Amino acid sequence: MPILKQNDSVSVEPVSEPVTIAEARRQCDLDDNYFDEQLQHLIKAARRKVEQDTRRALITQTRVLKMATFPAAIAIELPRTPVASVSSVQYVNTGGSTTTFSSSLYSLDANHNPPLVVLGYNETWPSVRGHHNDVVITYVAGQAATAVPETAKQAVLMLVRHWFDNSSPVVVGTITASLPLTYAALVGGLHWGQYP
């Protein structure tokens, strides 16, 4: 399946995080709420880092995938997992008008890794104008906080503690370690695919 140049971004941020302030306080050995604002920022940054490093969406969020054209293949790979639904597939037609591709003409294969938007049997992708970002797929990825794998939560908490304790990279002798080695082990088990 050929790879197309894609731009994938969050359009609606999660309304919650995979770990709570109370969990972050315990991780950082804090017994009051003095650092809660800082911890909230660290939790969000840590969740985004884990998502980036694993190609997962930990918490429910709306994402937008943009491409210049439809693929020659029957399926489009969605770059994050898990995917709950596809909200819309829109494209700029050859006349320059933005059009919504009917949801009856494609389906979501959420069980495939990566998740796929699959063209219906005997259907074809429409022709596009042939310009940058002519195809826009809006989809919902992620899950509820209660469904986030414990490994991912631990990776988030580990980053929160590391960043709380170290505002700059840690230097040990001649080696600079910006993240704990155990973090790499945690996210290594969550990462999927061959490219970041």
Side-chain angles (χ1 to χ4, degrees):
M1 186 178 308
I3 302 295
L4 298 171
K5 278 195 170 183
Q6 301 177 341
N7 176 22
D8 184 65
S9 61
V10 176
S11 65
V12 180
E13 287 281 350
V15 295
S16 64
E17 294 295 343
V19 299
T20 65
I21 290 285
E23 290 170 320
R25 275 195 219 119
R26 284 193 298 275
Q27 182 76 12
C28 295
D29 298 321
L30 300 171
D31 55 10
D32 60 35
N33 62 2
Y34 183 78
F35 293 102
D36 280 6
E37 186 176 348
Q38 181 182 354
L39 290 176
Q40 189 63 51
H41 292 296
L42 291 176
I43 290 168
K44 186 173 184 177
R47 188 251 310 155
R48 286 179 171 173
K49 174 68 173 159
V50 172
E51 288 178 333
Q52 175 188 341
D53 290 346
T54 63
R55 297 182 65 213
R56 292 183 178 275
L58 298 184
I59 296 291
T60 301
Q61 56 197 256
T62 302
R63 303 189 66 90
V64 175
L65 173 64
K66 296 180 180 180
M67 305 178 297
T69 188
F70 286 104
I74 64 163
I76 299 170
E77 293 183 0
L78 297 176
R80 297 290 172 148
T81 193
V83 172
S85 63
V86 174
S87 305
S88 67
V89 175
Q90 294 184 312
Y91 63 98
V92 180
N93 65 24
T94 54
S97 299
T98 299
T99 306
T100 299
F101 193 56
S102 173
S103 60
S104 65
L105 303 178
Y106 64 87
S107 62
L108 169 66
D109 184 352
N111 295 319
H112 191 274
N113 238 356
L116 300 172
V117 176
V118 183
L119 191 60
Y121 177 73
N122 219 19
E123 299 292 345
T124 57
W125 296 116
S127 297
V128 298
R129 176 183 55 177
H131 197 262
H132 184 63
N133 293 338
D134 272 359
V135 177
V136 178
I137 300 173
T138 304
Y139 65 103
V140 177
Q143 56 212 333
T146 54
V148 174
E150 288 301 320
T151 306
K153 290 183 179 183
Q154 187 56 44
V156 169
L157 288 170
M158 184 172 291
L159 283 180
V160 168
R161 176 63 189 251
H162 181 72
W163 289 339
F164 183 79
D165 290 343
N166 306 283
S167 58
S168 59
V170 178
V171 179
V172 180
T174 58
I175 300 172
T176 301
S178 58
L179 293 176
L181 294 177
T182 47
Y183 170 80
L186 289 171
V187 299
L190 294 167
H191 184 272
W192 63 275
Q194 298 179 355
Y195 50 91

